[in-house]
Amino acid sequence: MWSVSEWVSNGHLPTAEVVQELVAEAHLRFAPVLDGQVADYIPALAAAHSGHFGLCVSTCGGALFEAGEARESFSIQSISKPFLFALICQAIGEEEAREKLGVNSTGLPFNSVLAVERSGEGLSNPMVNAGAIAATSLAPGASSEEKWAFIQDGFSRFAGRRLEIDERVFDSELATNRRNAGLATLLSDHDRIWWDPDEATELYTRQCSLSVTAADLAVMAATLANGGRQPVTGEQVIEAIHCQHVLAVMVTAGLYETSGDWLYATGLPGKSGVAGGMITVAPGKGGLATYSPPLDEAGNSVRGQLTARFLSERLGLNLFASRAEGSR
Ligand code: DON
C-alpha cells in the first residue's frame, strides 16, 4: 500500500500580478504562430478555428488567470485519459490498475496497434488509446449506462460543474473510429479488456467528446496538482496518493512519442488532445491549460507546447530545476 509522505517537493507560484502578466505575455507571444494543422481525421474537428487561442492557469488555491479564448468549448479528447486513469485507480486501487493496464511508455503514436502487440501481453499504458480503452472498460457498473454515469460524474467533479457531451463530435468520431474498435478487439484477444469491446470503445469515444474549456481543464489539472482536492469546490475528488501515479504516467507518455522532448522542454507532466487542448500540471502549485487547434505531427497543440515551455520557465515550474546552495 502506497501513501503520501509528510514531506513533499513543492514550492509556490509567484504573486498573482506576475502570474497574470505572464499569462497575458504568453498569449501575445504565441498568438501569431501559424504552424501546425487542425485535426481532420475526426470530421467534426476540422471545423475548428485555427486562430483561436486561449489559456488559463489555476492555482491550487483556486485563483484563475486567463487570456484569449479561455472560455471557448471544445472536446476534451485524449486529455480525458489521465482523469479516467485517476478515477480507475480510485475505484480499483493503483496496484490493480497498474497490473491490468501497464504504465510503461510505448514511444509510439497514440493510436498504435504495435503498442498492444509489442509487450506480448497486450499491456501499454492508460495515456495511449489502447490502455485508455482498457481503462474505460474497468469503470464500475453493471451496464454501459452505469459505467457512463460513473465516468461523467467523476469528470464533472474534477471540473466542478456538470460536463456534457458534444453530440456532433461524438457522432462524427463514432462513425469513423474503426481503428479504436480494432484496438479493442485486439485487447480482447489478449484478455486485456473487461467489458464488451464495442461498448468499451463507445464509452471511450463518449468520454473523449465531453465538452470543456481551458478554464475547466486548468482546474481539473490543478486538482491533480493539489492532492486530488478540487481547488474551487474544495471536494476531495480522488485520494492524494493517486495523483502522483497519474502524473508519473503523464510524464512518460502524455505526449506519446514526443514525451521526451516535452519533458526536456518543460520538466512537467502534460497531456494533449487532438481538438487542440493541452494540460500541464505543476504539483503543489497549479494547473495550466491551453486551447489552440493547430497540431504538430504527433497530434499535440503547437501553441500549447510553446506556452507550456514559456510558462514553465518563467513561473519556475520545472520539477528538475535547482540552484546551487548559497547562490539564492
Ligand atoms: O481516440 C482518438 O483518436 C481520439 N478520441 C483522441 C485522440 C487524441 O486526442 C490524441 N491526442 N493528442
Side-chain angles (χ1 to χ4, degrees):
M1 190 63 116
W2 297 75
S3 62
V4 178
S5 162
E6 187 184 339
W7 305 100
V8 290
S9 59
N10 305 152
H12 41 78
L13 287 168
T15 61
E17 291 70 29
V18 171
V19 178
Q20 183 57 62
E21 245 168 56
L22 288 171
V23 164
E25 188 180 335
H27 190 266
L28 266 179
R29 266 180 187 242
F30 303 120
V33 173
L34 299 177
D35 301 335
Q37 295 292 326
V38 174
D40 59 5
Y41 78 99
I42 300 171
L45 298 186
H49 295 283
S50 58
H52 286 193
F53 176 33
L55 65 143
C56 181
V57 168
S58 167
T59 68
C60 286
L64 300 191
F65 304 94
E66 304 175 30
E69 277 93 19
R71 302 279 169 166
E72 182 168 317
S73 296
F74 55 94
S75 53
I76 190 169
Q77 297 297 339
S78 286
I79 307 168
S80 61
K81 290 166 175 163
F83 299 102
L84 182 80
F85 182 46
L87 293 169
I88 297 302
C89 285
Q90 178 73 31
I92 69 171
E94 66 271 14
E95 269 315 317
E96 190 175 337
R98 185 179 67 80
E99 279 162 23
K100 288 196 149 129
L101 303 170
V103 292
N104 284 316
S105 72
T106 64
L108 293 165
F110 65 91
N111 55 4
S112 171
V113 173
L114 187 57
V116 183
E117 290 296 70
R118 207 169 51 179
S119 75
E121 301 171 274
L123 285 171
S124 55
N125 69 68
M127 298 304 125
V128 298
N129 288 16
I133 295 168
T136 305
S137 79
L138 290 169
S143 64
S144 285
E145 289 68 33
E146 281 181 28
K147 286 178 185 290
W148 175 245
F150 169 84
I151 294 167
Q152 187 174 20
D153 176 62
F155 276 66
S156 299
R157 287 189 293 122
F158 270 111
R161 72 175 180 98
R162 179 93 181 150
L163 296 182
E164 301 291 350
I165 295 280
D166 180 328
E167 297 286 351
R168 206 175 51 89
V169 171
F170 174 62
D171 291 345
S172 178
E173 184 166 6
L174 200 62
T176 53
N177 66 355
R178 288 178 293 277
R179 195 174 177 88
N180 286 335
L183 284 170
T185 307
L186 202 55
L187 286 168
S188 146
D189 199 47
H190 287 281
D191 291 325
R192 283 279 167 205
I193 192 158
W194 291 270
W195 193 241
D196 175 78
D198 291 338
E199 290 194 31
T201 307
E202 181 167 338
L203 281 168
Y204 162 78
T205 308
R206 201 175 278 280
Q207 100 207 359
C208 286
S209 310
L210 282 169
S211 194
V212 290
T213 65
D216 290 326
L217 288 178
V219 287
M220 292 172 80
T223 306
L224 293 178
N226 190 39
R229 182 169 302 158
Q230 217 275 12
V232 179
T233 63
E235 183 181 357
Q236 190 72 39
V237 181
I238 53 165
E239 284 166 57
I241 187 61
H242 302 309
C243 292
Q244 67 194 53
H245 293 118
V246 172
L247 297 180
V249 188
M250 280 171 72
V251 161
T252 55
L255 274 82
Y256 316 113
E257 69 271 39
T258 58
S259 296
D261 284 320
W262 164 265
L263 191 57
Y264 202 85
T266 64
L268 292 165
K271 188 75 206 76
S272 61
V274 281
M278 182 165 257
I279 59 166
T280 310
V281 181
K285 295 178 179 172
L288 159 68
T290 51
Y291 169 60
S292 169
L295 311 177
D296 67 11
E297 304 254 304
N300 305 315
S301 168
V302 173
R303 289 193 192 101
Q305 291 176 82
L306 292 167
T307 303
R309 178 177 179 164
F310 173 76
L311 288 180
S312 171
E313 207 176 298
R314 300 291 289 275
L315 292 173
L317 306 179
N318 191 316
L319 292 171
F320 307 121
S322 60
R323 277 209 216 109
E325 188 69 39
S327 71
R328 282 152 242 225

